[in-house]
Amino acid sequence: MNATAEALFVAEPFQASGDVVIDCKVDKIFYGDFLAVRDSIVPIEKHKITGFIGPSGCGKSTVLRSLNRMNDLIQVFRFEGNVMYHGQDIYAKKVDPVVVRRYIGMVFQQPNPFSMSIYDNVAFGLRLNRFKGDVEERVEKALRSAALWNEVKDKLKNSGLSLSGGQQQRLCIARAIATEPDVLLMDEPCSALDPIATRQVEELMLELKEHYTLAMVTHNMQQATRVADTTAFFSVDISQGGRTGYLVEMGPTRQIFEDPREQLTKEYISGEFS
Amino acid sequence: MSDIDLTTRAIEPPRLPRLEHQTFEIRALKSGLLTWLTWIAAGLAAIPLLSVIYMLIFKGGSRLFSSSIGEVLTGLPPAGFEMGGGIGPALVGTLVMVGIGALISIPIGILAAIYLGVLEPSSRISTNARFLAKVLTGFPSILAGVFVYAVIVIHFGYSAMAGGIALAVLMLPTVLLAAEEAMSQVPQRMKDAAYGMGCTRTQVILKVVLPTGLTGILTGVMLAIAGAAGESAPLLFTALFSNYYISELNEPTASLSILIYNFSGMPFQNQIELAWTASLALVLIVLMFNILARILGRSKY
């Protein structure tokens, strides 16, 4: 850290080894006048799990939700920079955020099934996209991929809300993958789950990365070491009077946890602050 | 470990707290007294309702639950010293006018509720509209009649249409507020999930918000219908009355509530009996819609 007091710290860009599906370059993200995140370059690699870690308020969720324009639902949100997805900037004027979200799906912190049957939950996206093929087959496939089929195959007509928390979250994952999106964003997918359900979802993620590209925010560093191939560490800068998040370091998970380049990363992973 | 002496008998048994119920303790007496008071108050509150129902069944049931039920439900109201007769035109008139009220108030109420509950919950228009709707729920129903009289009846005369519109004015705030409440209770995370799947705002409302809030909306609709069916004041100025079956929407129309009002004041035993019968029929209709509201209000998922 030999930056002068005036120059803001900017992380060294991470050189991805494989195909980059989403190349996210954040210059600034604002909520109204509030600068939430600055200067963060986060490439998401194909068929890998990219983990976002960092203390509360560091902007990791904001960055994740910027990847499929979920933040557009917040009226005061403003994104400066670009997010290249297969060569197109998803923040380009002519891009329809609704279409972006059909390619880049999302799983949320709280399991949020719709109040309909398990089957209808999974079929929701297929019907939305006027899927012409065999809906039943795709629903079964999605539920099998989400490791939920054996538990629910006899009660597909029951309410999605009747399932346990862990099952609900796997149902949400099944719902998200039924339309076979390209990328799956997960915003702390296990934080509302117990350890057993967490383990199941983690195992599921490792299977899913064979077919999908995953990006995940987690508060749990052990979880990052267990599932993430690449880890991005964000921190929050309160020295300027605001609370602006920024990328500190990004690299292969093992390197981040065993041999971090930055002092701040070292302090965070050793639990000196959170 | 073994400082327990098993060789000598304990002189004092261990002292346990007394956990048994103490009937004559002050606290227990007070509790019993207050429980009784609430019981009595609940009983007193039920007396008017139970006595009304008893009187209706006692006085109105003899004609309704008898072999002449067909005549009572379909017959024309008797004139003067005529015997027999029924409440047919009034029954049909009430159903037609409540139907018109529902056809007007339900679409407007639900669309407005979408704006208030989903699109712009905290805009200035919404805050004011919500306040006005709440004021309108406490609106004296006779004023709805006077309003429609001034706007419609003066120009087009008494009609079922005017009666239906007056009922719609009364039903609208109930439908609106119930639907808004139901839709604003759809959790944000459910809407987020739908947006996250790539739904447009229209799709989020049509596929997630409306179905999820449907039971609450239907409950509000049924309560509004039940309330409107029993209204008499707004019909007095708008639909007036008729002794014959409704054939067109632009003519004066009979209704149960006005029939009760007319017949109960007559000096003829037959008419007074029919007024009781009509009262019972009206209560049964209201009860039916309330039960329907309960059944539809049970969430499927």
Side-chain angles (χ1 to χ4, degrees):
Chain A
M1 288 259 266
N2 46 14
T4 58
E6 281 77 31
L8 291 171
F9 172 87
V10 175
E12 270 176 55
F14 166 61
Q15 298 301 327
S17 51
D19 283 353
V20 173
V21 178
I22 299 178
D23 198 6
C24 168
K25 291 192 176 75
V26 176
D27 288 339
K28 288 182 172 70
I29 297 177
F30 289 97
Y31 291 116
D33 294 332
F34 170 64
L35 177 61
V37 183
R38 64 169 177 85
D39 310 305
S40 304
I41 297 179
V42 189
I44 310 289
E45 284 175 273
K46 196 178 176 74
H47 295 319
K48 284 193 178 170
I49 300 176
T50 306
F52 293 18
I53 61 169
S56 301
C58 68
K60 53 194 189 300
S61 276
T62 298
V63 171
L64 186 86
R65 293 164 71 99
S66 295
L67 301 181
N68 73 343
R69 298 195 60 173
M70 271 308 277
N71 281 327
D72 286 32
L73 299 173
I74 301 164
Q75 279 179 354
V76 293
F77 169 81
R78 204 167 83 245
F79 184 92
E80 285 175 17
N82 53 55
V83 176
M84 300 307 287
Y85 173 64
H86 293 293
Q88 301 175 63
D89 182 2
I90 66 164
Y91 280 92
K93 258 214 172 84
K94 59 178 195 293
V95 168
D96 181 357
V98 168
V99 180
V100 171
R101 295 183 204 128
R102 294 190 184 180
Y103 289 94
I104 306 176
M106 184 127 199
V107 174
F108 296 81
Q109 185 171 2
Q110 292 281 336
N112 53 2
F114 299 128
S115 65
M116 23 175 119
S117 69
I118 293 168
Y119 182 92
D120 288 342
N121 260 288
V122 183
F124 186 88
L126 299 171
R127 290 175 182 151
L128 193 68
N129 291 308
R130 299 211 174 76
F131 178 68
K132 291 285 185 296
D134 187 346
V135 174
E136 244 171 81
E137 183 202 316
R138 284 286 282 269
V139 168
E140 180 177 339
K141 190 178 160 200
L143 283 168
R144 280 190 193 281
S145 312
L148 191 59
W149 176 252
N150 287 330
E151 290 157 66
V152 302
K153 63 182 174 200
D154 299 323
K155 47 177 184 178
L156 291 173
K157 289 220 159 44
N158 289 16
S159 168
L161 296 167
S162 67
L163 299 173
S164 72
Q167 288 174 322
Q168 285 190 14
Q169 193 63 305
R170 278 179 285 148
L171 177 64
C172 292
I173 293 173
R175 180 177 66 187
I177 61 179
T179 52
E180 302 190 342
D182 195 15
V183 182
L184 212 50
L185 307 177
M186 298 181 151
D187 190 356
E188 297 188 43
C190 300
S191 67
L193 305 183
D194 63 62
I196 293 168
T198 298
R199 186 35 69 82
Q200 286 170 325
V201 170
E202 285 177 6
E203 280 167 9
L204 174 57
M205 290 170 74
L206 292 172
E207 281 168 31
L208 289 177
K209 75 172 183 179
E210 305 291 321
H211 302 282
Y212 302 95
T213 301
L214 282 83
M216 166 190 66
V217 165
T218 177
H219 243 105
N220 179 334
M221 282 187 279
Q222 281 71 40
Q223 184 171 52
T225 58
R226 284 193 297 261
V227 296
D229 298 295
T230 310
T231 298
F233 169 60
F234 291 79
S235 189
V236 54
D237 186 357
I238 50 175
S239 62
Q240 309 291 313
R243 289 186 59 86
T244 301
Y246 61 102
L247 180 70
V248 175
E249 184 171 359
M250 184 171 181
T253 300
R254 173 168 284 199
Q255 178 250 306
I256 292 286
F257 281 90
E258 289 175 5
D259 182 25
R261 285 192 303 269
E262 302 296 337
Q263 183 62 26
L264 207 54
T265 317
K266 202 173 286 175
E267 286 169 12
Y268 183 72
I269 59 170
S270 62
E272 282 177 39
F273 74 97
S274 63
Chain B
M1 280 296 277
S2 63
D3 49 10
I4 301 169
D5 187 5
L6 296 175
T7 56
T8 54
R9 289 184 184 163
I11 295 161
E12 267 184 46
R15 282 166 74 79
L16 287 173
R18 292 177 63 187
L19 301 175
E20 303 92 17
H21 192 80
Q22 304 294 316
T23 316
F24 293 104
E25 207 184 19
I26 292 286
R27 209 159 42 101
L29 287 174
K30 261 196 217 163
S31 162
L33 187 72
L34 289 172
T35 308
W36 271 105
L37 269 178
T38 55
W39 267 105
I40 292 166
L44 283 176
I47 285 174
L49 177 69
L50 292 177
S51 54
V52 165
I53 290 175
Y54 170 77
M55 285 219 317
L56 284 178
I57 293 173
F58 185 68
K59 299 209 172 182
S62 57
R63 288 280 283 267
L64 196 61
F65 307 125
S66 70
S67 54
S68 63
I69 183 170
E71 191 196 351
V72 168
L73 289 183
T74 58
L76 298 180
F81 290 100
E82 233 182 318
M83 291 311 288
I87 57 170
L91 195 62
V92 173
T94 287
L95 292 177
V96 167
M97 287 189 284
V98 169
I100 293 171
L103 280 181
I104 297 171
S105 63
I106 292 171
I108 297 179
I110 290 178
L111 286 176
I114 289 174
Y115 182 82
L116 295 190
V118 187
L119 299 184
E120 296 285 347
S122 46
S123 79
R124 200 129 161 231
I125 299 178
S126 294
T127 327
N128 289 329
R130 201 176 291 122
F131 174 70
L132 290 176
K134 279 178 187 158
V135 171
L136 208 55
T137 49
F139 200 59
S141 59
I142 195 160
L143 291 184
V146 174
F147 164 70
V148 174
Y149 180 83
V151 174
I152 294 169
V153 176
I154 286 184
H155 307 287
F156 303 101
Y158 295 102
S159 65
M161 202 62 203
I165 292 170
L167 293 183
V169 171
L170 291 173
M171 292 166 78
L172 185 60
T174 313
V175 174
L176 170 71
L177 291 173
E180 192 219 339
E181 177 71 17
M183 285 191 273
S184 60
Q185 275 180 358
V186 175
Q188 183 60 40
R189 56 196 161 97
M190 234 181 240
K191 291 183 248 177
D192 279 349
Y195 282 116
M197 308 274 312
C199 282
T200 60
R201 194 163 71 167
T202 312
Q203 286 168 327
V204 172
I205 291 169
L206 289 180
K207 291 172 191 273
V208 176
V209 177
L210 276 177
T212 308
L214 189 66
T215 52
I217 297 171
L218 285 177
T219 310
V221 165
M222 288 303 146
L223 290 177
I225 288 177
E231 283 292 349
S232 57
L235 300 178
L236 218 51
F237 293 96
T238 51
L240 214 63
F241 193 68
S242 157
N243 281 322
Y244 303 100
Y245 273 103
I246 178 173
S247 58
E248 280 180 66
L249 290 182
N250 58 6
E251 58 183 25
T253 305
S255 57
L256 285 174
S257 46
I258 304 288
L259 179 136
I260 295 165
Y261 173 75
N262 286 348
F263 279 15
S264 59
M266 285 189 179
F268 311 112
Q269 187 58 35
N270 185 29
Q271 273 82 337
I272 291 175
E273 263 182 45
L274 273 180
W276 282 109
T277 312
S279 306
L280 182 61
L282 189 56
V283 167
L284 289 178
I285 289 176
V286 171
L287 187 71
M288 194 185 72
F289 278 113
N290 273 302
I291 291 173
L292 214 57
R294 281 286 181 92
I295 293 171
L296 294 172
R298 266 187 235 134
S299 178
K300 203 171 143 208
Y301 294 112

